[in-house]
Amino acid sequence: MTILLDMSLNFQVKLASLEMDNPLMLASGVLGMSPSTIRRVASSGAGGLVTKSIGLDARDGYSNPTVYVCGYYGLLNAMGLPNPGVDHVVEEFLNQDFKFPVVYSIFGSSPGDYSKIARKLLRLKPSAFELNLSCPHVKEVGSLIGQDPKMVYDVVKEVKQSVNVPVFAKITPNVADVVEIARTAVKAGADAIVAINTVKAMVIDVDAMKPVLGNKAGGLSGPAIKPISIKIVYDLYENLKVPVVGVGGIQTWKDAVEYFLAGARAVQIGSAITWKGLAVFKEILFGLREYMMEKRFSSIDEIVGGAH
Ligand SMILES: Cc1cc2nc3c(=O)[nH]c(=O)nc-3n(C[C@H](O)[C@H](O)[C@H](O)COP(=O)(O)O)c2cc1C
């Protein structure tokens, strides 16, 4: 990243074998994915990106409204995982050489789905896979794969056995014991834990006297969930040996530093892109540089876990 070349500071981070010029990534799902979008993100200052979650077959997602802006505190969304299906993605992205870390996010309804999608995506030479575990459970109606430790174990294990690139497990905060779920993912071979996906939530329109979203319930993201995610990252750092990637409510350099201090080795930015645009990456990098110079840190690694 050219804006960093003149700096003596080391922004590089490593998540298993995935190396990034800096620790800022685009979170899954907030931008539509096309080769041109990926190039735009690559030139924005981000160190890497995660694609929108990709499923086996094309899906339209839920009916509108799918996103609701909750004033100053965030977004409520229930998109229903719309995507064109893995075969379409492979066709569209084949022979694109992004020279930039692209992590492919996968969702499915069974371990077999996840590994089948991962194997198909190998043709795109992914930098890593991120397993979106916030997907409906095949057997237990109303619950998510990420809420069932056995499913989490089986999904991660099956993908790990099928591919030879790093596998990150993205966990849901909507469980009683997040650390237990993350530990299970690590036991199954996860190379990093990404925390967190959105927090289950609802908003009701008092005039219409109905929930605002087409799907009624949705997931909350943005500033409101940051303290929830910081606590989870803090706990994961204390209990796991693999790197933790923090996500939830980051919109300024201070938010990012808070995550590093809690124990995140990298961070992802989602909702803030919708009000700050991709300029948020450079803004955070410059703030981070000032902070590191003031505190006399020479690398991100020196900040990670500093609050413990
Ligand atoms: C509109 C929207 C779509 C999302 N789609 C996905 C998705 O496809 N896969 C996924 O793993 N997370 C998805 N997420 C969750 C984000 O990646 C992220 O975990 C969450 O929004 C918290 O980060 P933030 O507060 O920076 O947005 C989505 C979030 C939003 C707001």
Side-chain angles (χ1 to χ4, degrees), residues 26-31 50-54 66-67 73-83 105-107 130-135 170-171 194-199 219-226 229 246-251 259 268-275:
L26 175 73
S28 178
V30 283
L31 288 185
V50 187
T51 68
K52 213 170 165 59
S53 294
I54 300 161
T66 53
V67 180
Y73 58 86
L75 296 179
L76 181 70
N77 94 85
M79 308 290 292
L81 295 164
N83 84 102
S105 169
I106 300 174
F107 76 92
E130 184 177 279
L131 309 181
N132 176 0
L133 300 171
S134 301
C135 314
K170 182 174 183 184
I171 56 174
V194 180
I196 55 176
N197 213 312
T198 54
V199 178
L220 188 64
S221 59
I225 71 167
K226 196 188 74 181
S229 185
V247 50
I250 298 172
Q251 48 180 349
Y259 271 95
Q268 298 179 356
I269 299 161
S271 302
I273 304 287
T274 64
W275 56 86

Short mmCIF file of all heavy atoms in Angstrom, two decimals, residues 26-31 50-54 66-67 73-83 105-107 130-135 170-171 194-199 219-226 229 246-251 259 268-275, ligand 1:
data_model
loop_
_atom_site.label_atom_id
_atom_site.label_comp_id
_atom_site.label_asym_id
_atom_site.label_seq_id
_atom_site.Cartn_x
_atom_site.Cartn_y
_atom_site.Cartn_z
N LEU A 26 -12.23 -5.39 4.87
CA LEU A 26 -13.65 -5.15 4.64
C LEU A 26 -14.41 -6.36 5.18
O LEU A 26 -14.05 -7.50 4.87
CB LEU A 26 -13.93 -5.00 3.14
CG LEU A 26 -15.40 -4.86 2.76
CD1 LEU A 26 -15.93 -3.48 3.14
CD2 LEU A 26 -15.62 -5.11 1.28
N ALA A 27 -15.46 -6.12 5.98
CA ALA A 27 -16.25 -7.23 6.52
C ALA A 27 -17.19 -7.78 5.44
O ALA A 27 -17.54 -7.09 4.49
CB ALA A 27 -17.07 -6.75 7.72
N SER A 28 -17.59 -9.02 5.64
CA SER A 28 -18.46 -9.69 4.68
C SER A 28 -19.83 -9.02 4.58
O SER A 28 -20.43 -8.66 5.59
CB SER A 28 -18.65 -11.15 5.12
OG SER A 28 -19.53 -11.81 4.24
N GLY A 29 -20.31 -8.88 3.34
CA GLY A 29 -21.73 -8.62 3.12
C GLY A 29 -22.19 -7.20 2.91
O GLY A 29 -23.26 -7.00 2.34
N VAL A 30 -21.42 -6.21 3.33
CA VAL A 30 -21.94 -4.85 3.23
C VAL A 30 -21.82 -4.27 1.82
O VAL A 30 -22.56 -3.36 1.46
CB VAL A 30 -21.29 -3.88 4.24
CG1 VAL A 30 -21.86 -4.07 5.62
CG2 VAL A 30 -19.80 -4.02 4.27
N LEU A 31 -20.90 -4.80 1.01
CA LEU A 31 -20.80 -4.36 -0.37
C LEU A 31 -21.12 -5.54 -1.28
O LEU A 31 -20.77 -6.67 -0.98
CB LEU A 31 -19.38 -3.88 -0.71
CG LEU A 31 -18.92 -2.56 -0.12
CD1 LEU A 31 -17.54 -2.22 -0.67
CD2 LEU A 31 -19.90 -1.44 -0.45
N VAL A 50 -13.20 -9.51 2.77
CA VAL A 50 -13.98 -10.74 2.85
C VAL A 50 -15.17 -10.56 1.92
O VAL A 50 -15.85 -9.51 1.96
CB VAL A 50 -14.49 -11.01 4.28
CG1 VAL A 50 -15.14 -12.38 4.36
CG2 VAL A 50 -13.37 -10.88 5.29
N THR A 51 -15.43 -11.55 1.07
CA THR A 51 -16.55 -11.43 0.14
C THR A 51 -17.88 -11.56 0.88
O THR A 51 -17.91 -12.01 2.03
CB THR A 51 -16.52 -12.54 -0.93
OG1 THR A 51 -16.79 -13.80 -0.27
CG2 THR A 51 -15.19 -12.60 -1.66
N LYS A 52 -18.94 -11.22 0.20
CA LYS A 52 -20.27 -11.53 0.69
C LYS A 52 -20.35 -13.05 0.81
O LYS A 52 -19.66 -13.76 0.08
CB LYS A 52 -21.26 -11.06 -0.40
CG LYS A 52 -22.55 -10.56 0.10
CD LYS A 52 -23.31 -9.90 -1.08
CE LYS A 52 -24.76 -9.71 -0.71
NZ LYS A 52 -24.96 -8.87 0.47
N SER A 53 -21.15 -13.57 1.72
CA SER A 53 -21.19 -15.02 1.88
C SER A 53 -21.77 -15.71 0.64
O SER A 53 -22.78 -15.27 0.08
CB SER A 53 -22.01 -15.40 3.11
OG SER A 53 -21.37 -14.94 4.28
N ILE A 54 -21.09 -16.79 0.25
CA ILE A 54 -21.44 -17.51 -0.97
C ILE A 54 -22.03 -18.86 -0.60
O ILE A 54 -21.46 -19.60 0.22
CB ILE A 54 -20.17 -17.72 -1.84
CG1 ILE A 54 -19.56 -16.36 -2.19
CG2 ILE A 54 -20.47 -18.55 -3.08
CD1 ILE A 54 -18.11 -16.44 -2.62
N THR A 66 -35.06 -4.95 3.82
CA THR A 66 -34.04 -5.85 4.35
C THR A 66 -33.03 -5.11 5.25
O THR A 66 -32.30 -5.74 5.99
CB THR A 66 -33.27 -6.56 3.23
OG1 THR A 66 -32.78 -5.57 2.34
CG2 THR A 66 -34.14 -7.56 2.49
N VAL A 67 -32.98 -3.79 5.12
CA VAL A 67 -32.05 -3.02 5.97
C VAL A 67 -32.80 -1.82 6.55
O VAL A 67 -33.57 -1.17 5.86
CB VAL A 67 -30.83 -2.50 5.17
CG1 VAL A 67 -29.89 -1.73 6.08
CG2 VAL A 67 -30.07 -3.66 4.52
N TYR A 73 -27.02 4.62 16.05
CA TYR A 73 -26.35 3.48 16.67
C TYR A 73 -26.13 2.27 15.78
O TYR A 73 -25.49 1.31 16.18
CB TYR A 73 -27.02 3.08 17.97
CG TYR A 73 -28.49 2.71 17.90
CD1 TYR A 73 -28.87 1.41 17.58
CD2 TYR A 73 -29.49 3.65 18.16
CE1 TYR A 73 -30.21 1.06 17.51
CE2 TYR A 73 -30.82 3.31 18.11
CZ TYR A 73 -31.18 2.02 17.78
OH TYR A 73 -32.49 1.69 17.73
N GLY A 74 -26.62 2.26 14.56
CA GLY A 74 -26.28 1.14 13.72
C GLY A 74 -27.30 0.78 12.66
O GLY A 74 -28.17 1.60 12.30
N LEU A 75 -27.18 -0.42 12.18
CA LEU A 75 -28.05 -0.93 11.13
C LEU A 75 -28.71 -2.22 11.62
O LEU A 75 -28.08 -3.01 12.32
CB LEU A 75 -27.24 -1.32 9.88
CG LEU A 75 -26.49 -0.26 9.11
CD1 LEU A 75 -25.76 -0.92 7.94
CD2 LEU A 75 -27.44 0.80 8.59
N LEU A 76 -29.97 -2.40 11.20
CA LEU A 76 -30.63 -3.68 11.45
C LEU A 76 -30.82 -4.31 10.08
O LEU A 76 -31.35 -3.65 9.17
CB LEU A 76 -31.98 -3.42 12.12
CG LEU A 76 -32.79 -4.66 12.48
CD1 LEU A 76 -32.14 -5.40 13.64
CD2 LEU A 76 -34.21 -4.26 12.86
N ASN A 77 -30.35 -5.53 9.90
CA ASN A 77 -30.55 -6.14 8.57
C ASN A 77 -31.00 -7.58 8.66
O ASN A 77 -30.66 -8.30 9.60
CB ASN A 77 -29.28 -6.00 7.72
CG ASN A 77 -28.38 -7.22 7.81
OD1 ASN A 77 -28.56 -8.21 7.09
ND2 ASN A 77 -27.42 -7.16 8.73
N ALA A 78 -31.79 -7.96 7.68
CA ALA A 78 -32.14 -9.37 7.48
C ALA A 78 -32.17 -9.53 5.97
O ALA A 78 -33.20 -9.34 5.32
CB ALA A 78 -33.48 -9.71 8.10
N MET A 79 -31.00 -9.81 5.41
CA MET A 79 -30.88 -9.91 3.95
C MET A 79 -31.35 -11.28 3.46
O MET A 79 -31.84 -11.41 2.35
CB MET A 79 -29.41 -9.72 3.51
CG MET A 79 -28.71 -8.48 4.04
SD MET A 79 -29.33 -6.97 3.33
CE MET A 79 -28.78 -7.13 1.65
N GLY A 80 -31.14 -12.31 4.30
CA GLY A 80 -31.49 -13.67 3.88
C GLY A 80 -30.45 -14.27 2.96
O GLY A 80 -30.76 -15.11 2.12
N LEU A 81 -29.20 -13.83 3.10
CA LEU A 81 -28.06 -14.37 2.36
C LEU A 81 -28.29 -14.44 0.84
O LEU A 81 -28.11 -15.51 0.22
CB LEU A 81 -27.69 -15.77 2.91
CG LEU A 81 -27.18 -15.74 4.35
CD1 LEU A 81 -27.22 -17.13 4.97
CD2 LEU A 81 -25.78 -15.18 4.43
N PRO A 82 -28.68 -13.32 0.22
CA PRO A 82 -28.85 -13.35 -1.24
C PRO A 82 -27.48 -13.54 -1.89
O PRO A 82 -26.50 -12.96 -1.44
CB PRO A 82 -29.39 -11.95 -1.55
CG PRO A 82 -28.91 -11.09 -0.44
CD PRO A 82 -28.85 -11.97 0.77
N ASN A 83 -27.40 -14.38 -2.88
CA ASN A 83 -26.13 -14.57 -3.59
C ASN A 83 -26.39 -15.34 -4.86
O ASN A 83 -27.40 -16.03 -4.99
CB ASN A 83 -25.11 -15.28 -2.68
CG ASN A 83 -25.25 -16.76 -2.70
OD1 ASN A 83 -24.49 -17.47 -3.34
ND2 ASN A 83 -26.28 -17.29 -2.01
N SER A 105 -16.06 -15.84 1.85
CA SER A 105 -16.98 -16.22 2.92
C SER A 105 -17.97 -17.25 2.37
O SER A 105 -18.51 -17.10 1.27
CB SER A 105 -17.74 -14.99 3.43
OG SER A 105 -18.80 -15.40 4.28
N ILE A 106 -18.19 -18.28 3.17
CA ILE A 106 -19.04 -19.41 2.74
C ILE A 106 -20.17 -19.61 3.74
O ILE A 106 -19.96 -19.49 4.94
CB ILE A 106 -18.21 -20.71 2.75
CG1 ILE A 106 -17.03 -20.60 1.80
CG2 ILE A 106 -19.05 -21.92 2.41
CD1 ILE A 106 -16.12 -21.81 1.90
N PHE A 107 -21.36 -19.92 3.22
CA PHE A 107 -22.42 -20.39 4.14
C PHE A 107 -23.07 -21.63 3.56
O PHE A 107 -23.02 -21.87 2.36
CB PHE A 107 -23.48 -19.30 4.41
CG PHE A 107 -24.44 -19.10 3.26
CD1 PHE A 107 -25.64 -19.80 3.23
CD2 PHE A 107 -24.15 -18.23 2.24
CE1 PHE A 107 -26.54 -19.62 2.19
CE2 PHE A 107 -25.05 -18.04 1.19
CZ PHE A 107 -26.24 -18.74 1.16
N GLU A 130 -13.60 -17.85 5.08
CA GLU A 130 -14.26 -17.47 6.33
C GLU A 130 -15.59 -18.22 6.35
O GLU A 130 -16.38 -18.07 5.41
CB GLU A 130 -14.47 -15.95 6.37
CG GLU A 130 -15.05 -15.47 7.70
CD GLU A 130 -15.19 -13.96 7.74
OE1 GLU A 130 -14.19 -13.26 8.02
OE2 GLU A 130 -16.32 -13.46 7.50
N LEU A 131 -15.80 -19.01 7.38
CA LEU A 131 -17.04 -19.78 7.47
C LEU A 131 -18.07 -18.98 8.24
O LEU A 131 -17.89 -18.70 9.43
CB LEU A 131 -16.78 -21.12 8.16
CG LEU A 131 -15.61 -21.94 7.60
CD1 LEU A 131 -15.47 -23.27 8.35
CD2 LEU A 131 -15.79 -22.18 6.11
N ASN A 132 -19.12 -18.57 7.54
CA ASN A 132 -20.21 -17.85 8.19
C ASN A 132 -21.09 -18.88 8.87
O ASN A 132 -21.82 -19.62 8.20
CB ASN A 132 -20.97 -17.04 7.12
CG ASN A 132 -22.18 -16.33 7.70
OD1 ASN A 132 -22.45 -16.42 8.89
ND2 ASN A 132 -22.90 -15.61 6.85
N LEU A 133 -21.00 -18.92 10.19
CA LEU A 133 -21.73 -19.95 10.94
C LEU A 133 -23.12 -19.46 11.38
O LEU A 133 -23.83 -20.18 12.08
CB LEU A 133 -20.91 -20.40 12.16
CG LEU A 133 -19.53 -20.99 11.80
CD1 LEU A 133 -18.68 -21.21 13.05
CD2 LEU A 133 -19.67 -22.30 11.02
N SER A 134 -23.48 -18.24 10.96
CA SER A 134 -24.80 -17.69 11.33
C SER A 134 -25.83 -18.06 10.27
O SER A 134 -26.46 -17.18 9.67
CB SER A 134 -24.71 -16.18 11.49
OG SER A 134 -23.76 -15.86 12.48
N CYS A 135 -25.98 -19.33 10.02
CA CYS A 135 -26.92 -19.79 8.99
C CYS A 135 -27.89 -20.77 9.64
O CYS A 135 -27.54 -21.47 10.59
CB CYS A 135 -26.20 -20.55 7.89
SG CYS A 135 -24.76 -19.72 7.36
N LYS A 170 -16.25 -17.69 11.65
CA LYS A 170 -16.88 -16.44 12.10
C LYS A 170 -18.06 -16.79 12.99
O LYS A 170 -19.02 -17.42 12.55
CB LYS A 170 -17.35 -15.61 10.91
CG LYS A 170 -17.97 -14.28 11.33
CD LYS A 170 -18.28 -13.43 10.14
CE LYS A 170 -18.84 -12.09 10.55
NZ LYS A 170 -19.24 -11.29 9.38
N ILE A 171 -17.96 -16.37 14.23
CA ILE A 171 -18.94 -16.84 15.21
C ILE A 171 -20.07 -15.84 15.43
O ILE A 171 -19.93 -14.64 15.20
CB ILE A 171 -18.27 -17.18 16.55
CG1 ILE A 171 -17.50 -15.98 17.09
CG2 ILE A 171 -17.33 -18.37 16.39
CD1 ILE A 171 -16.95 -16.20 18.47
N VAL A 194 -13.17 -15.22 13.88
CA VAL A 194 -13.66 -13.88 13.54
C VAL A 194 -14.87 -13.60 14.42
O VAL A 194 -15.82 -14.38 14.44
CB VAL A 194 -14.05 -13.81 12.04
CG1 VAL A 194 -14.54 -12.41 11.69
CG2 VAL A 194 -12.87 -14.22 11.16
N ALA A 195 -14.80 -12.51 15.19
CA ALA A 195 -15.87 -12.22 16.15
C ALA A 195 -16.22 -10.73 16.06
O ALA A 195 -15.33 -9.90 16.24
CB ALA A 195 -15.40 -12.57 17.57
N ILE A 196 -17.45 -10.42 15.71
CA ILE A 196 -18.64 -11.24 15.72
C ILE A 196 -19.52 -10.96 14.49
O ILE A 196 -19.33 -9.94 13.80
CB ILE A 196 -19.51 -10.93 16.99
CG1 ILE A 196 -19.84 -9.44 17.05
CG2 ILE A 196 -18.91 -11.44 18.23
CD1 ILE A 196 -20.76 -9.01 18.18
N ASN A 197 -20.49 -11.83 14.28
CA ASN A 197 -21.55 -11.52 13.32
C ASN A 197 -22.58 -10.64 14.04
O ASN A 197 -22.38 -10.28 15.21
CB ASN A 197 -22.17 -12.82 12.79
CG ASN A 197 -22.61 -12.65 11.34
OD1 ASN A 197 -23.27 -11.67 11.00
ND2 ASN A 197 -22.26 -13.60 10.50
N THR A 198 -23.66 -10.32 13.40
CA THR A 198 -24.63 -9.38 13.98
C THR A 198 -25.35 -9.96 15.21
O THR A 198 -25.42 -11.17 15.40
CB THR A 198 -25.68 -8.98 12.94
OG1 THR A 198 -26.25 -10.18 12.41
CG2 THR A 198 -25.07 -8.17 11.82
N VAL A 199 -25.89 -9.05 16.01
CA VAL A 199 -26.60 -9.43 17.25
C VAL A 199 -28.11 -9.44 16.95
O VAL A 199 -28.66 -8.47 16.41
CB VAL A 199 -26.30 -8.40 18.36
CG1 VAL A 199 -27.07 -8.74 19.64
CG2 VAL A 199 -24.81 -8.33 18.64
N GLY A 219 -30.46 -8.67 12.30
CA GLY A 219 -29.20 -8.63 13.04
C GLY A 219 -28.73 -7.19 13.15
O GLY A 219 -28.73 -6.44 12.17
N LEU A 220 -28.35 -6.80 14.36
CA LEU A 220 -27.88 -5.44 14.60
C LEU A 220 -26.37 -5.36 14.40
O LEU A 220 -25.62 -6.26 14.81
CB LEU A 220 -28.23 -5.05 16.05
CG LEU A 220 -27.99 -3.58 16.44
CD1 LEU A 220 -28.89 -2.64 15.64
CD2 LEU A 220 -28.24 -3.39 17.94
N SER A 221 -25.93 -4.29 13.73
CA SER A 221 -24.50 -4.06 13.51
C SER A 221 -24.23 -2.59 13.78
O SER A 221 -25.15 -1.83 14.05
CB SER A 221 -24.13 -4.41 12.07
OG SER A 221 -24.89 -3.61 11.17
N GLY A 222 -22.96 -2.19 13.71
CA GLY A 222 -22.64 -0.78 13.91
C GLY A 222 -22.28 -0.46 15.35
O GLY A 222 -22.13 -1.37 16.18
N PRO A 223 -22.11 0.86 15.66
CA PRO A 223 -21.59 1.28 16.97
C PRO A 223 -22.25 0.62 18.18
O PRO A 223 -21.57 0.34 19.18
CB PRO A 223 -21.87 2.79 16.98
CG PRO A 223 -21.92 3.17 15.54
CD PRO A 223 -22.42 1.98 14.78
N ALA A 224 -23.54 0.33 18.12
CA ALA A 224 -24.23 -0.23 19.29
C ALA A 224 -23.64 -1.57 19.72
O ALA A 224 -23.72 -1.93 20.90
CB ALA A 224 -25.72 -0.41 18.99
N ILE A 225 -23.05 -2.32 18.79
CA ILE A 225 -22.60 -3.67 19.19
C ILE A 225 -21.11 -3.70 19.56
O ILE A 225 -20.60 -4.74 19.96
CB ILE A 225 -22.90 -4.74 18.11
CG1 ILE A 225 -22.01 -4.58 16.86
CG2 ILE A 225 -24.37 -4.72 17.72
CD1 ILE A 225 -22.07 -5.78 15.92
N LYS A 226 -20.43 -2.56 19.44
CA LYS A 226 -18.99 -2.60 19.69
C LYS A 226 -18.62 -3.07 21.10
O LYS A 226 -17.77 -3.96 21.24
CB LYS A 226 -18.35 -1.24 19.39
CG LYS A 226 -16.83 -1.35 19.25
CD LYS A 226 -16.15 -0.01 19.15
CE LYS A 226 -16.12 0.67 20.49
NZ LYS A 226 -15.50 1.98 20.49
N SER A 229 -18.89 -6.82 21.29
CA SER A 229 -17.84 -7.52 20.55
C SER A 229 -16.47 -7.38 21.22
O SER A 229 -15.67 -8.32 21.25
CB SER A 229 -17.79 -6.98 19.12
OG SER A 229 -16.88 -7.70 18.37
N GLY A 246 -11.33 -9.00 15.02
CA GLY A 246 -12.44 -8.30 15.66
C GLY A 246 -13.31 -7.58 14.64
O GLY A 246 -12.79 -6.94 13.73
N VAL A 247 -14.62 -7.67 14.83
CA VAL A 247 -15.53 -6.96 13.93
C VAL A 247 -16.80 -6.59 14.69
O VAL A 247 -17.31 -7.38 15.47
CB VAL A 247 -15.83 -7.78 12.65
CG1 VAL A 247 -16.25 -9.19 12.96
CG2 VAL A 247 -16.89 -7.12 11.77
N GLY A 248 -17.25 -5.36 14.46
CA GLY A 248 -18.46 -4.87 15.11
C GLY A 248 -18.30 -3.43 15.53
O GLY A 248 -17.59 -3.13 16.49
N GLY A 249 -18.92 -2.53 14.76
CA GLY A 249 -19.00 -1.13 15.18
C GLY A 249 -17.76 -0.28 14.98
O GLY A 249 -17.68 0.81 15.54
N ILE A 250 -16.81 -0.74 14.19
CA ILE A 250 -15.60 0.08 14.00
C ILE A 250 -15.87 1.18 12.98
O ILE A 250 -16.27 0.90 11.85
CB ILE A 250 -14.41 -0.78 13.53
CG1 ILE A 250 -14.09 -1.82 14.61
CG2 ILE A 250 -13.19 0.08 13.22
CD1 ILE A 250 -13.06 -2.85 14.19
N GLN A 251 -15.64 2.43 13.40
CA GLN A 251 -15.77 3.53 12.44
C GLN A 251 -14.63 4.54 12.55
O GLN A 251 -14.50 5.41 11.70
CB GLN A 251 -17.13 4.21 12.55
CG GLN A 251 -17.57 4.54 13.96
CD GLN A 251 -18.93 5.22 14.01
OE1 GLN A 251 -19.47 5.63 12.99
NE2 GLN A 251 -19.48 5.37 15.20
N TYR A 259 -9.98 -2.58 19.73
CA TYR A 259 -9.99 -4.01 19.38
C TYR A 259 -8.59 -4.63 19.51
O TYR A 259 -8.45 -5.74 20.00
CB TYR A 259 -10.51 -4.23 17.95
CG TYR A 259 -12.01 -4.39 17.88
CD1 TYR A 259 -12.84 -3.31 17.61
CD2 TYR A 259 -12.60 -5.62 18.11
CE1 TYR A 259 -14.22 -3.45 17.56
CE2 TYR A 259 -13.98 -5.78 18.07
CZ TYR A 259 -14.78 -4.70 17.79
OH TYR A 259 -16.14 -4.85 17.76
N GLN A 268 -12.19 -6.03 11.07
CA GLN A 268 -13.00 -5.87 9.85
C GLN A 268 -13.99 -4.72 10.05
O GLN A 268 -14.48 -4.50 11.16
CB GLN A 268 -13.77 -7.16 9.55
CG GLN A 268 -12.87 -8.36 9.30
CD GLN A 268 -13.66 -9.63 9.02
OE1 GLN A 268 -14.88 -9.66 9.08
NE2 GLN A 268 -12.93 -10.70 8.71
N ILE A 269 -14.26 -4.04 8.95
CA ILE A 269 -15.17 -2.89 9.01
C ILE A 269 -16.33 -3.14 8.05
O ILE A 269 -16.11 -3.46 6.88
CB ILE A 269 -14.41 -1.61 8.62
CG1 ILE A 269 -13.27 -1.40 9.63
CG2 ILE A 269 -15.35 -0.39 8.59
CD1 ILE A 269 -12.19 -0.49 9.14
N GLY A 270 -17.55 -3.04 8.57
CA GLY A 270 -18.73 -3.32 7.76
C GLY A 270 -19.64 -2.11 7.63
O GLY A 270 -19.48 -1.28 6.74
N SER A 271 -20.56 -1.96 8.59
CA SER A 271 -21.59 -0.92 8.50
C SER A 271 -21.04 0.47 8.23
O SER A 271 -21.66 1.25 7.49
CB SER A 271 -22.39 -0.88 9.80
OG SER A 271 -22.96 -2.13 10.06
N ALA A 272 -19.90 0.82 8.82
CA ALA A 272 -19.37 2.19 8.68
C ALA A 272 -19.11 2.54 7.21
O ALA A 272 -19.11 3.72 6.84
CB ALA A 272 -18.09 2.35 9.49
N ILE A 273 -18.93 1.52 6.37
CA ILE A 273 -18.72 1.77 4.94
C ILE A 273 -19.96 2.47 4.36
O ILE A 273 -19.85 3.29 3.45
CB ILE A 273 -18.49 0.44 4.17
CG1 ILE A 273 -17.33 -0.35 4.76
CG2 ILE A 273 -18.33 0.67 2.67
CD1 ILE A 273 -15.97 0.18 4.48
N THR A 274 -21.13 2.15 4.93
CA THR A 274 -22.35 2.71 4.34
C THR A 274 -22.48 4.22 4.61
O THR A 274 -23.17 4.91 3.89
CB THR A 274 -23.63 1.97 4.83
OG1 THR A 274 -23.75 2.16 6.25
CG2 THR A 274 -23.59 0.50 4.53
N TRP A 275 -21.85 4.73 5.68
CA TRP A 275 -21.91 6.19 5.87
C TRP A 275 -20.58 6.89 5.65
O TRP A 275 -20.54 8.09 5.43
CB TRP A 275 -22.55 6.59 7.20
CG TRP A 275 -21.95 6.01 8.46
CD1 TRP A 275 -20.90 6.51 9.15
CD2 TRP A 275 -22.39 4.86 9.17
NE1 TRP A 275 -20.64 5.74 10.25
CE2 TRP A 275 -21.53 4.70 10.30
CE3 TRP A 275 -23.40 3.92 8.98
CZ2 TRP A 275 -21.67 3.68 11.22
CZ3 TRP A 275 -23.53 2.89 9.90
CH2 TRP A 275 -22.67 2.77 11.00
C1 LIG B 1 -26.09 -5.36 5.22
C2 LIG B 1 -25.23 -6.39 5.89
C3 LIG B 1 -24.98 -7.61 5.26
C4 LIG B 1 -24.17 -8.57 5.87
N1 LIG B 1 -23.92 -9.74 5.22
C5 LIG B 1 -23.09 -10.67 5.78
C6 LIG B 1 -22.74 -11.86 5.08
O1 LIG B 1 -23.15 -12.09 3.93
N2 LIG B 1 -21.93 -12.74 5.73
C7 LIG B 1 -21.41 -12.52 6.98
O2 LIG B 1 -20.67 -13.34 7.50
N3 LIG B 1 -21.71 -11.36 7.64
C8 LIG B 1 -22.51 -10.45 7.07
N4 LIG B 1 -22.79 -9.28 7.74
C9 LIG B 1 -22.19 -9.04 9.07
C10 LIG B 1 -20.91 -8.21 8.98
O3 LIG B 1 -19.91 -8.84 8.22
C11 LIG B 1 -20.36 -7.89 10.38
O4 LIG B 1 -20.04 -9.10 11.04
C12 LIG B 1 -21.35 -7.13 11.25
O5 LIG B 1 -22.09 -6.22 10.47
C13 LIG B 1 -20.65 -6.34 12.37
O6 LIG B 1 -19.71 -5.43 11.85
P1 LIG B 1 -20.06 -3.85 11.62
O7 LIG B 1 -20.65 -3.36 12.89
O8 LIG B 1 -18.76 -3.23 11.26
O9 LIG B 1 -21.05 -3.83 10.49
C14 LIG B 1 -23.59 -8.30 7.14
C15 LIG B 1 -23.84 -7.07 7.77
C16 LIG B 1 -24.64 -6.12 7.16
C17 LIG B 1 -24.88 -4.81 7.85
#
